[in-house]
mmCIF file of all heavy atoms in Angstrom:
data_model
loop_
_atom_site.group_PDB
_atom_site.id
_atom_site.type_symbol
_atom_site.label_atom_id
_atom_site.label_comp_id
_atom_site.label_asym_id
_atom_site.label_seq_id
_atom_site.Cartn_x
_atom_site.Cartn_y
_atom_site.Cartn_z
ATOM 1 N N ALA A 254 14.867 -0.034 10.135
ATOM 2 C CA ALA A 254 15.954 0.939 10.211
ATOM 3 C C ALA A 254 15.399 2.360 10.091
ATOM 4 O O ALA A 254 14.460 2.593 9.323
ATOM 5 C CB ALA A 254 16.965 0.686 9.092
ATOM 6 N N PRO A 255 15.937 3.316 10.838
ATOM 7 C CA PRO A 255 15.454 4.693 10.741
ATOM 8 C C PRO A 255 15.720 5.287 9.361
ATOM 9 O O PRO A 255 16.760 5.016 8.744
ATOM 10 C CB PRO A 255 16.239 5.430 11.827
ATOM 11 C CG PRO A 255 17.442 4.574 12.084
ATOM 12 C CD PRO A 255 17.016 3.165 11.831
ATOM 13 N N HIS A 257 16.093 8.652 6.861
ATOM 14 C CA HIS A 257 16.472 10.063 6.878
ATOM 15 C C HIS A 257 16.339 10.616 5.460
ATOM 16 O O HIS A 257 16.905 10.056 4.519
ATOM 17 C CB HIS A 257 17.923 10.231 7.345
ATOM 18 C CG HIS A 257 18.233 9.574 8.651
ATOM 19 N ND1 HIS A 257 18.177 10.237 9.857
ATOM 20 C CD2 HIS A 257 18.593 8.288 8.944
ATOM 21 C CE1 HIS A 257 18.484 9.406 10.836
ATOM 22 N NE2 HIS A 257 18.750 8.219 10.300
ATOM 23 N N ALA A 267 25.244 14.042 4.228
ATOM 24 C CA ALA A 267 24.188 13.301 4.912
ATOM 25 C C ALA A 267 24.718 11.974 5.442
ATOM 26 O O ALA A 267 24.422 11.576 6.580
ATOM 27 C CB ALA A 267 23.016 13.067 3.951
ATOM 28 N N ILE A 268 25.503 11.281 4.637
ATOM 29 C CA ILE A 268 26.082 10.008 5.081
ATOM 30 C C ILE A 268 26.995 10.239 6.282
ATOM 31 O O ILE A 268 26.954 9.496 7.263
ATOM 32 C CB ILE A 268 26.855 9.341 3.934
ATOM 33 C CG1 ILE A 268 25.882 8.782 2.893
ATOM 34 C CG2 ILE A 268 27.753 8.216 4.463
ATOM 35 C CD1 ILE A 268 26.551 8.155 1.695
ATOM 36 N N ALA A 269 27.800 11.294 6.221
ATOM 37 C CA ALA A 269 28.725 11.575 7.323
ATOM 38 C C ALA A 269 27.958 11.876 8.616
ATOM 39 O O ALA A 269 28.331 11.391 9.693
ATOM 40 C CB ALA A 269 29.630 12.752 6.954
ATOM 41 N N ARG A 270 26.879 12.659 8.494
ATOM 42 C CA ARG A 270 26.103 13.024 9.686
ATOM 43 C C ARG A 270 25.440 11.789 10.305
ATOM 44 O O ARG A 270 25.503 11.575 11.521
ATOM 45 C CB ARG A 270 25.031 14.056 9.330
ATOM 46 C CG ARG A 270 25.573 15.442 9.040
ATOM 47 C CD ARG A 270 24.435 16.467 9.037
ATOM 48 N NE ARG A 270 23.392 16.132 8.078
ATOM 49 C CZ ARG A 270 23.393 16.550 6.804
ATOM 50 N NH1 ARG A 270 24.396 17.285 6.354
ATOM 51 N NH2 ARG A 270 22.407 16.230 5.995
ATOM 52 N N VAL A 271 24.780 10.988 9.467
ATOM 53 C CA VAL A 271 24.075 9.818 9.999
ATOM 54 C C VAL A 271 25.063 8.783 10.516
ATOM 55 O O VAL A 271 24.854 8.170 11.572
ATOM 56 C CB VAL A 271 23.153 9.216 8.907
ATOM 57 C CG1 VAL A 271 22.524 7.921 9.403
ATOM 58 C CG2 VAL A 271 22.076 10.212 8.516
ATOM 59 N N HIS A 272 26.157 8.610 9.783
ATOM 60 C CA HIS A 272 27.143 7.598 10.185
ATOM 61 C C HIS A 272 27.775 7.956 11.526
ATOM 62 O O HIS A 272 28.143 7.067 12.310
ATOM 63 C CB HIS A 272 28.216 7.459 9.109
ATOM 64 C CG HIS A 272 29.101 6.266 9.292
ATOM 65 N ND1 HIS A 272 30.393 6.359 9.769
ATOM 66 C CD2 HIS A 272 28.879 4.933 9.101
ATOM 67 C CE1 HIS A 272 30.927 5.145 9.833
ATOM 68 N NE2 HIS A 272 30.031 4.273 9.444
ATOM 69 N N ALA A 273 27.896 9.258 11.815
ATOM 70 C CA ALA A 273 28.481 9.686 13.088
ATOM 71 C C ALA A 273 27.627 9.242 14.270
ATOM 72 O O ALA A 273 28.152 8.903 15.337
ATOM 73 C CB ALA A 273 28.645 11.203 13.100
ATOM 74 N N SER A 274 26.294 9.249 14.077
ATOM 75 C CA SER A 274 25.398 8.853 15.168
ATOM 76 C C SER A 274 24.986 7.386 15.085
ATOM 77 O O SER A 274 24.561 6.807 16.089
ATOM 78 C CB SER A 274 24.141 9.731 15.156
ATOM 79 O OG SER A 274 23.450 9.599 13.920
ATOM 80 N N ARG A 275 25.109 6.793 13.898
ATOM 81 C CA ARG A 275 24.735 5.388 13.701
ATOM 82 C C ARG A 275 25.848 4.668 12.934
ATOM 83 O O ARG A 275 25.719 4.414 11.741
ATOM 84 C CB ARG A 275 23.409 5.289 12.941
ATOM 85 C CG ARG A 275 22.236 5.913 13.681
ATOM 86 C CD ARG A 275 20.924 5.710 12.938
ATOM 87 N NE ARG A 275 19.819 6.257 13.694
ATOM 88 C CZ ARG A 275 19.202 5.649 14.696
ATOM 89 N NH1 ARG A 275 19.588 4.442 15.044
ATOM 90 N NH2 ARG A 275 18.208 6.213 15.352
ATOM 91 N N PRO A 276 26.922 4.335 13.604
ATOM 92 C CA PRO A 276 28.025 3.642 12.920
ATOM 93 C C PRO A 276 27.548 2.314 12.321
ATOM 94 O O PRO A 276 26.716 1.629 12.899
ATOM 95 C CB PRO A 276 29.032 3.405 14.051
ATOM 96 C CG PRO A 276 28.683 4.407 15.099
ATOM 97 C CD PRO A 276 27.201 4.576 15.026
ATOM 98 N N GLY A 277 28.077 2.011 11.170
ATOM 99 C CA GLY A 277 27.697 0.781 10.490
ATOM 100 C C GLY A 277 27.295 1.063 9.061
ATOM 101 O O GLY A 277 27.316 2.207 8.594
ATOM 102 N N LYS A 278 26.918 0.008 8.373
ATOM 103 C CA LYS A 278 26.531 0.126 6.969
ATOM 104 C C LYS A 278 25.227 0.897 6.847
ATOM 105 O O LYS A 278 24.269 0.671 7.581
ATOM 106 C CB LYS A 278 26.390 -1.258 6.347
ATOM 107 C CG LYS A 278 26.021 -1.232 4.878
ATOM 108 C CD LYS A 278 26.192 -2.601 4.236
ATOM 109 C CE LYS A 278 25.246 -3.623 4.792
ATOM 110 N NZ LYS A 278 25.330 -4.927 4.094
ATOM 111 N N LEU A 279 25.171 1.818 5.880
ATOM 112 C CA LEU A 279 23.971 2.596 5.599
ATOM 113 C C LEU A 279 23.462 2.259 4.200
ATOM 114 O O LEU A 279 24.207 1.752 3.361
ATOM 115 C CB LEU A 279 24.267 4.093 5.692
ATOM 116 C CG LEU A 279 24.831 4.608 7.017
ATOM 117 C CD1 LEU A 279 25.179 6.093 6.902
ATOM 118 C CD2 LEU A 279 23.851 4.373 8.152
ATOM 119 N N ALA A 280 22.196 2.555 3.955
ATOM 120 C CA ALA A 280 21.621 2.397 2.622
ATOM 121 C C ALA A 280 21.261 3.770 2.071
ATOM 122 O O ALA A 280 20.726 4.620 2.788
ATOM 123 C CB ALA A 280 20.380 1.516 2.672
ATOM 124 N N LEU A 281 21.559 3.983 0.799
ATOM 125 C CA LEU A 281 21.196 5.209 0.103
ATOM 126 C C LEU A 281 20.163 4.870 -0.959
ATOM 127 O O LEU A 281 20.378 3.989 -1.788
ATOM 128 C CB LEU A 281 22.437 5.828 -0.561
ATOM 129 C CG LEU A 281 22.181 6.974 -1.549
ATOM 130 C CD1 LEU A 281 21.683 8.208 -0.821
ATOM 131 C CD2 LEU A 281 23.448 7.295 -2.344
ATOM 132 N N ALA A 290 26.765 5.621 -2.960
ATOM 133 C CA ALA A 290 27.378 5.656 -1.635
ATOM 134 C C ALA A 290 28.646 4.810 -1.662
ATOM 135 O O ALA A 290 28.654 3.724 -2.244
ATOM 136 C CB ALA A 290 26.406 5.119 -0.593
ATOM 137 N N PRO A 291 29.706 5.265 -1.039
ATOM 138 C CA PRO A 291 30.951 4.485 -1.033
ATOM 139 C C PRO A 291 30.808 3.254 -0.144
ATOM 140 O O PRO A 291 30.010 3.236 0.793
ATOM 141 C CB PRO A 291 31.971 5.471 -0.442
ATOM 142 C CG PRO A 291 31.152 6.381 0.426
ATOM 143 C CD PRO A 291 29.838 6.521 -0.270
ATOM 144 N N PRO A 292 31.557 2.185 -0.445
ATOM 145 C CA PRO A 292 31.539 0.993 0.412
ATOM 146 C C PRO A 292 31.929 1.382 1.848
ATOM 147 O O PRO A 292 32.723 2.319 2.034
ATOM 148 C CB PRO A 292 32.593 0.083 -0.227
ATOM 149 C CG PRO A 292 32.687 0.572 -1.634
ATOM 150 C CD PRO A 292 32.443 2.047 -1.585
ATOM 151 N N PRO A 293 31.395 0.702 2.855
ATOM 152 C CA PRO A 293 30.566 -0.507 2.774
ATOM 153 C C PRO A 293 29.077 -0.221 2.601
ATOM 154 O O PRO A 293 28.263 -1.129 2.680
ATOM 155 C CB PRO A 293 30.821 -1.151 4.142
ATOM 156 C CG PRO A 293 30.942 0.015 5.066
ATOM 157 C CD PRO A 293 31.684 1.073 4.258
ATOM 158 N N HIS A 294 28.739 1.030 2.396
ATOM 159 C CA HIS A 294 27.329 1.389 2.264
ATOM 160 C C HIS A 294 26.773 0.843 0.945
ATOM 161 O O HIS A 294 27.526 0.499 0.023
ATOM 162 C CB HIS A 294 27.171 2.906 2.334
ATOM 163 C CG HIS A 294 27.858 3.527 3.513
ATOM 164 N ND1 HIS A 294 27.655 3.100 4.799
ATOM 165 C CD2 HIS A 294 28.775 4.538 3.580
ATOM 166 C CE1 HIS A 294 28.405 3.829 5.626
ATOM 167 N NE2 HIS A 294 29.097 4.696 4.905
ATOM 168 N N VAL A 295 25.452 0.758 0.861
ATOM 169 C CA VAL A 295 24.807 0.209 -0.337
ATOM 170 C C VAL A 295 23.882 1.268 -0.954
ATOM 171 O O VAL A 295 23.336 2.123 -0.252
ATOM 172 C CB VAL A 295 23.994 -1.065 -0.009
ATOM 173 C CG1 VAL A 295 24.921 -2.178 0.418
ATOM 174 C CG2 VAL A 295 22.947 -0.802 1.063
ATOM 175 N N ALA A 317 16.930 -3.225 2.374
ATOM 176 C CA ALA A 317 17.817 -2.537 3.309
ATOM 177 C C ALA A 317 17.697 -3.138 4.703
ATOM 178 O O ALA A 317 18.699 -3.339 5.403
ATOM 179 C CB ALA A 317 17.489 -1.048 3.333
ATOM 180 N N GLN A 320 19.455 -6.450 4.952
ATOM 181 C CA GLN A 320 20.908 -6.279 5.060
ATOM 182 C C GLN A 320 21.331 -5.662 6.390
ATOM 183 O O GLN A 320 22.511 -5.385 6.602
ATOM 184 C CB GLN A 320 21.411 -5.424 3.893
ATOM 185 C CG GLN A 320 21.208 -6.081 2.545
ATOM 186 C CD GLN A 320 21.815 -5.286 1.406
ATOM 187 O OE1 GLN A 320 22.994 -4.939 1.452
ATOM 188 N NE2 GLN A 320 21.020 -4.995 0.380
ATOM 189 N N ARG A 321 20.341 -5.428 7.258
ATOM 190 C CA ARG A 321 20.592 -4.937 8.612
ATOM 191 C C ARG A 321 21.410 -3.650 8.622
ATOM 192 O O ARG A 321 22.390 -3.502 9.388
ATOM 193 C CB ARG A 321 21.282 -6.022 9.460
ATOM 194 C CG ARG A 321 20.440 -7.292 9.593
ATOM 195 C CD ARG A 321 21.087 -8.288 10.536
ATOM 196 N NE ARG A 321 20.307 -9.501 10.648
ATOM 197 C CZ ARG A 321 19.237 -9.650 11.427
ATOM 198 N NH1 ARG A 321 18.824 -8.636 12.163
ATOM 199 N NH2 ARG A 321 18.583 -10.801 11.479
ATOM 200 N N VAL A 322 21.009 -2.722 7.774
ATOM 201 C CA VAL A 322 21.700 -1.438 7.764
ATOM 202 C C VAL A 322 21.357 -0.658 9.029
ATOM 203 O O VAL A 322 20.301 -0.860 9.647
ATOM 204 C CB VAL A 322 21.340 -0.616 6.510
ATOM 205 C CG1 VAL A 322 21.739 -1.354 5.248
ATOM 206 C CG2 VAL A 322 19.849 -0.255 6.498
ATOM 207 N N ALA A 323 22.252 0.244 9.396
ATOM 208 C CA ALA A 323 22.036 1.057 10.594
ATOM 209 C C ALA A 323 21.071 2.202 10.344
ATOM 210 O O ALA A 323 20.456 2.723 11.267
ATOM 211 C CB ALA A 323 23.374 1.601 11.095
ATOM 212 N N GLY A 324 20.946 2.604 9.091
ATOM 213 C CA GLY A 324 20.046 3.698 8.729
ATOM 214 C C GLY A 324 19.839 3.726 7.229
ATOM 215 O O GLY A 324 20.628 3.156 6.468
ATOM 216 N N ILE A 325 18.755 4.367 6.814
ATOM 217 C CA ILE A 325 18.429 4.473 5.393
ATOM 218 C C ILE A 325 18.327 5.948 5.032
ATOM 219 O O ILE A 325 17.528 6.692 5.619
ATOM 220 C CB ILE A 325 17.097 3.759 5.076
ATOM 221 C CG1 ILE A 325 17.172 2.286 5.482
ATOM 222 C CG2 ILE A 325 16.743 3.901 3.597
ATOM 223 C CD1 ILE A 325 15.841 1.557 5.397
ATOM 224 N N LEU A 326 19.133 6.377 4.085
ATOM 225 C CA LEU A 326 19.110 7.762 3.615
ATOM 226 C C LEU A 326 18.377 7.817 2.285
ATOM 227 O O LEU A 326 18.704 7.069 1.364
ATOM 228 C CB LEU A 326 20.529 8.305 3.442
ATOM 229 C CG LEU A 326 21.325 8.551 4.729
ATOM 230 C CD1 LEU A 326 21.993 7.259 5.191
ATOM 231 C CD2 LEU A 326 22.384 9.639 4.515
#
Side-chain angles (χ1 to χ4, degrees):
H257 307 266
I268 287 178
R270 288 194 303 270
V271 174
H272 192 256
S274 60
R275 298 184 177 278
K278 181 167 65 175
L279 303 175
L281 169 69
H294 309 307
V295 294
Q320 296 185 53
R321 300 185 181 279
V322 299
I325 302 171
L326 290 84

